[in-house]
Structures are given as structure tokens and as C-alpha cells.
Amino acid sequence: QVQLVESGGGLVQAGGSLRLSCVASRSVFSFNSMGWYRQAPGKLRELVATITSGGFTNYVDSVKGRFTISRDIVKNTVFLQMNSLKPEDTGVYYCNARAARLGVPIDSWGQGTQVTVSS
């Protein structure tokens, strides 16, 4: 059982910054990828950013140039640096770790951290 513990959410004004952290209970290299998803009220959960075990990153178009995903392999931690925040970035942000067994993806999720951006 993988444990993912997020922190760093909060309330910020538009244009501000926040840094989310996700600490995994085992090495980040044990996953095919790790990433961040978010869910706004009344909306489906959407992918925000991912980083593969090889270090390749991917972002949803709406955050490109504003958000940066990174990791600390010693501390088994993945970060999401969020700059130039907009009200539409508001939501619960979830850390995700994806592994695979016999080709079948296995997802683990953190408990979520609330990000609220005021206009």
C-alpha cells in the first residue's frame, strides 16, 4: 500500500504563488509516473502535470508556462510550483502515483489539498 501525503495548499490572491508537496512512502523510481490532478466543484478530476520515472514532464495546456512539476529523489517527494495563479486554478489538488502490474496501471492517490485563488 502506497502512502502519498500532500501539503502546501491554501488561499492566495490571483497572481500569487503556491508550492505543493507530495511525499511518497517509497522511491519515486518505483512508479512509472507521478503527478498532480485537480478537481473543481462540480467538475471532473483533471490532470495538471506529470513527471515520469525518466524525468519527462507533461502539463495541461492551461497551466503551461505557469506551473512546474519537479521531484527530490532523495526525499521521495514531488513538487508542483504554481505561479501566476488564476481563480480558475481553484480546486482540490491530488497527488497521483502510477505503477503497473502485468501491463495494468495501478493508481495511488493522496488525500488532496485545497487550493483557493481569490480574484
Side-chain angles (χ1 to χ4, degrees):
Q1 184 76 15
V2 176
Q3 303 294 325
L4 301 171
V5 180
E6 301 121 330
S7 61
L11 172 64
V12 65
Q13 289 188 332
S17 298
L18 285 172
R19 188 192 197 205
L20 305 183
S21 300
C22 171
V23 181
S25 58
R26 66 185 198 219
S27 171
V28 298
F29 291 123
S30 67
F31 308 112
N32 292 348
S33 66
M34 293 188 69
W36 293 91
Y37 289 68
R38 67 186 178 192
Q39 187 165 19
K43 295 188 177 181
L44 297 174
R45 189 175 297 186
E46 66 168 350
L47 180 147
V48 177
T50 60
I51 184 166
T52 69
S53 57
F56 294 100
T57 59
N58 181 56
Y59 301 89
V60 66
D61 286 346
S62 61
V63 308
K64 285 181 179 177
R66 301 189 296 123
F67 291 12
T68 303
I69 189 169
S70 62
R71 64 187 180 183
D72 184 327
I73 60 176
V74 174
K75 297 181 178 179
N76 296 339
T77 302
V78 174
F79 304 98
L80 186 68
Q81 178 67 45
M82 304 185 294
N83 299 328
S84 302
L85 282 161
K86 304 176 180 180
E88 52 264 42
D89 294 317
T90 294
V92 178
Y93 283 67
Y94 296 92
C95 181
N96 168 268
R98 173 163 290 185
R101 183 175 298 166
L102 300 179
V104 178
I106 302 171
D107 285 313
S108 299
W109 297 93
Q111 80 284 358
T113 184
Q114 177 70 45
V115 171
T116 303
V117 184
S118 63
S119 57

